[in-house]
Amino acid sequence: MNSRAIGIVLMLSLLTLPTMAQTDLPGIASITNDAWPPFINADGHSGLALDIVTTALQTQGVSLQVTIKPWARAMKDVIDGKNDLLLATWESPARTQTLLFSQPYLKNRLRFIKRADDPFEYRDLASLSGKRIGVIRDYSYTGEFASSNNFTREPHQDLQANLRMLAAKRLDLTLEDEIVASYC
């Protein structure tokens, strides 16, 4: 699938809020996210995006307290001021109403994933007609993919759940960032 053909090239953005929520200690920010290897690993101490953000903030004298949570709770906790930062957040019009985004520091390319025995070939949005596509609950999918009514979006907790549903033939396709998918 050519990601440009459906207009889904999303940015991973550092989300910042003007106040420090979890700690009153100067130079410490609380950061939260769901585990999204290899960008942020379940240990909360490593990952490509975490390493970039940690290094950038350290140059400004800020260290991080990292907490891994389910995505919906991480988002809510930042909006409610319980945490300062979300590490890896796709910008969307709805999110910019309550969140302040940095300049992008990584890019994502979403790719469709199918069963090996499935002859389906993506051509354009019309080729998705009638398909059941696994998406991740509370993630932001934009552009024509988000607004199309040609197919059914079935939200699940994470990529692993979508892959299980795909293997069980309860989904026709799922999609994920190509780096994340190749890491799994």
Side-chain angles (χ1 to χ4, degrees), residues 24-93:
D24 293 328
L25 299 173
I28 298 178
S30 64
I31 192 168
T32 188
N33 212 83
D34 62 335
W36 196 36
F39 296 113
I40 182 166
N41 295 319
D43 65 7
H45 299 292
S46 61
L48 176 61
L50 183 58
D51 292 346
I52 291 169
V53 171
T54 298
T55 301
L57 290 176
Q58 282 175 342
T59 68
Q60 303 304 306
V62 177
S63 61
L64 299 176
Q65 293 177 334
V66 180
T67 307
I68 302 298
K69 302 175 186 176
W71 176 249
R73 187 164 23 125
M75 176 73 78
K76 183 178 181 340
D77 284 355
V78 169
I79 290 170
D80 292 346
K82 294 178 182 174
N83 289 104
D84 300 314
L85 308 169
L86 280 167
L87 176 67
T89 307
W90 292 348
E91 189 171 348
S92 71

Side-chain angles (χ1 to χ4, degrees), residues 4-15:
R4 191 172 36 177
I6 60 171
I8 301 178
V9 177
L10 300 170
M11 305 294 180
L12 252 155
S13 297
L14 171 66
L15 169 107

Side-chain angles (χ1 to χ4, degrees), residues 106-159:
L106 290 170
K107 290 185 180 184
N108 294 118
R109 264 191 352 184
L110 295 182
R111 299 292 191 193
F112 286 113
I113 302 168
K114 64 178 187 167
R115 288 181 305 280
D117 63 351
D118 185 346
F120 172 79
E121 290 295 327
Y122 176 82
R123 292 181 309 283
D124 53 24
L125 280 176
S127 69
L128 299 176
S129 185
K131 299 288 186 192
R132 297 166 299 163
I133 302 176
V135 296
I136 298 177
R137 187 176 294 114
D138 296 321
Y139 273 25
S140 176
Y141 300 92
T142 60
E144 293 176 2
F145 180 83
S147 61
S148 177
N149 294 320
N150 286 349
F151 52 87
T152 304
R153 284 169 217 75
E154 295 190 17
H156 295 99
Q157 184 67 28
D158 53 28
L159 175 60

